[in-house]
Amino acid sequence: MPSDECRVGRLTGPAAGFASGLTKVVVGHGFDTCRSRHGYSSTPSSKIVLLFLCFSKPFNGRGFFALYKGATPPALGWAAIDSVLLGSLHNYRLFLLHNGIMTEDPTGTGERLTLLAHGTAGLFAGLTSAPLATPIELLKVRLQLQIQKSVSDRQFRGPIDCAQHLMRSQGVLGLWTGFSGGLLFRANFFYMFLAFEACMRGLSRLNGTFYEPSVGVANLIAGGTASLCFWTMAIPFDRMKNQMMSHPYPLPYPETRSITRPSLISVACQIYSNQGLRGFYRGLAPCFIRAFPSNACAFFVYEGLLRALGAEQTRH
């Protein structure tokens, strides 16, 4: 049987990931609401104008908290998703390190994982979190797209009511609409965690100089930068995933099982035929604006808690 120390070590990643997920929601959900609406907007205005309108309309209508429409599922669910994502990431890293897979010893001071190993751990962590993430993201997308000011005018009163509608129209598996898109999207965590480690190693070269950052500052910088790398690669798959999840928007969900879930290929063809290649990158500007601060803070919390909880080091 594993020792108590080993069990605690395996739990530090999920615990730190849970806190990271809550941080990400607090910092980034308002931007995410704007990104979701911008992705479906047909207004031929510039991205900056669309982003300004997205922020100004809630203030003019329902106040600042309108930006947090649909925040209930991610507030609870995102913490669970990041607990699985970052917890499995930590354990995949430990597995590779303990088994000497994709390791190196460039300085003669001990084995460490290669950059490819960090990316591979991120890839499998992303795929591991996909079954849990899909229904939570589905509810979030459906709730964010409701722009009616009055609750009585909205089709869904909340996440539970939304889930009930989806199951009535598509069955229980309807909650996993967009799962194939979610798998492709989450496979791009390969780039995030590879980029994070590459940035941390790059910043470590400043050690001993006037510009040497503290570990926390390095986590903030590397986390924000890694998120930009991630979204540059992942945004087309996120666009397809969200369109699969929003179907048949702007039409309301039917009350009976009369809806056919769109396939990934059909959605990709629809986006390309209507908007061309640029359609796959709609919402990228507000996505970048959201990604850097929310992920910088999330990485800061995650890495800081790993150190505070005494987790076994997987990065050097």
Side-chain angles (χ1 to χ4, degrees):
M1 293 180 65
S3 65
D4 291 341
E5 182 179 352
C6 186
R7 290 195 196 97
V8 172
R10 291 173 184 168
L11 291 175
T12 53
F18 189 87
S20 172
L22 289 177
T23 303
K24 197 179 297 181
V25 172
V26 171
V27 177
H29 187 78
F31 291 102
D32 195 50
T33 299
C34 292
R35 181 177 63 85
S36 292
R37 294 179 187 171
H38 175 228
Y40 296 97
S41 174
S42 59
T43 306
S45 305
S46 69
K47 291 180 173 62
I48 300 299
V49 172
L50 283 170
L51 184 60
F52 171 77
L53 290 175
C54 193
F55 270 97
S56 63
K57 285 181 180 178
F59 282 107
N60 293 335
R62 297 176 54 224
F64 173 78
F65 290 103
L67 291 174
Y68 284 80
K69 182 191 293 291
T72 304
L76 301 175
W78 234 250
I81 293 170
D82 270 20
S83 179
V84 174
L85 172 69
L86 298 175
S88 60
L89 171 75
H90 184 67
N91 288 323
Y92 285 135
R93 284 171 169 172
L94 288 175
F95 174 81
L96 294 174
L97 189 62
H98 290 171
N99 290 278
I101 302 173
M102 290 189 284
T103 59
E104 61 183 1
D105 187 9
T107 61
T109 58
E111 291 287 317
R112 70 177 186 183
L113 294 176
T114 64
L115 290 179
L116 181 61
H118 284 280
T120 301
L123 166 65
F124 284 103
L127 297 179
T128 300
S129 65
L132 176 63
T134 300
I136 294 172
E137 290 181 334
L138 176 63
L139 297 179
K140 176 178 72 72
V141 168
R142 297 305 310 180
L143 292 173
Q144 284 178 328
L145 291 175
Q146 295 190 125
I147 61 175
Q148 297 86 354
K149 182 176 179 180
S150 173
V151 175
S152 60
D153 294 333
R154 303 175 203 159
Q155 184 176 12
F156 309 124
R157 296 187 298 274
I160 295 177
D161 183 56
C162 182
Q164 291 173 339
H165 274 76
L166 297 180
M167 287 188 288
R168 278 199 299 268
S169 62
Q170 299 184 43
V172 174
L173 292 180
L175 292 174
W176 278 266
T177 296
F179 181 66
S180 57
L183 283 174
L184 291 176
F185 167 70
R186 292 192 159 264
N188 288 276
F189 279 109
F190 173 92
Y191 301 104
M192 174 175 277
F193 295 108
L194 186 152
F196 178 78
E197 181 64 18
C199 288
M200 288 296 295
R201 292 183 185 182
L203 291 169
S204 70
R205 299 191 180 201
L206 298 174
N207 291 349
T209 71
F210 177 78
Y211 301 100
E212 176 182 353
S214 66
V215 176
V217 171
N219 290 158
L220 285 167
I221 296 171
T225 303
S227 71
L228 300 184
C229 296
F230 168 77
W231 280 108
T232 299
M233 304 303 296
I235 190 69
F237 305 104
D238 183 63
R239 181 75 173 88
M240 290 185 283
K241 169 181 67 70
N242 286 349
Q243 185 145 328
M244 293 172 73
M245 291 178 172
S246 66
H247 181 79
Y249 179 84
L251 298 175
Y253 256 83
E255 296 292 334
T256 59
R257 296 194 180 196
S258 59
I259 185 171
T260 302
R261 289 183 290 174
S263 68
L264 181 69
I265 295 177
S266 66
V267 167
C269 292
Q270 181 183 4
I271 294 174
Y272 182 76
S273 62
N274 292 339
Q275 304 170 31
L277 288 175
R278 294 182 63 181
F280 291 99
Y281 289 88
R282 294 200 67 174
L284 185 60
C287 179
F288 272 1
I289 294 172
R290 164 195 176 270
F292 196 100
S294 62
N295 284 279
C297 294
F299 270 101
F300 176 83
V301 170
Y302 174 67
E303 292 286 333
L305 280 177
L306 284 182
R307 292 191 295 272
L309 294 172
E312 183 176 351
Q313 290 294 314
T314 59
R315 297 184 38 262
H316 302 284

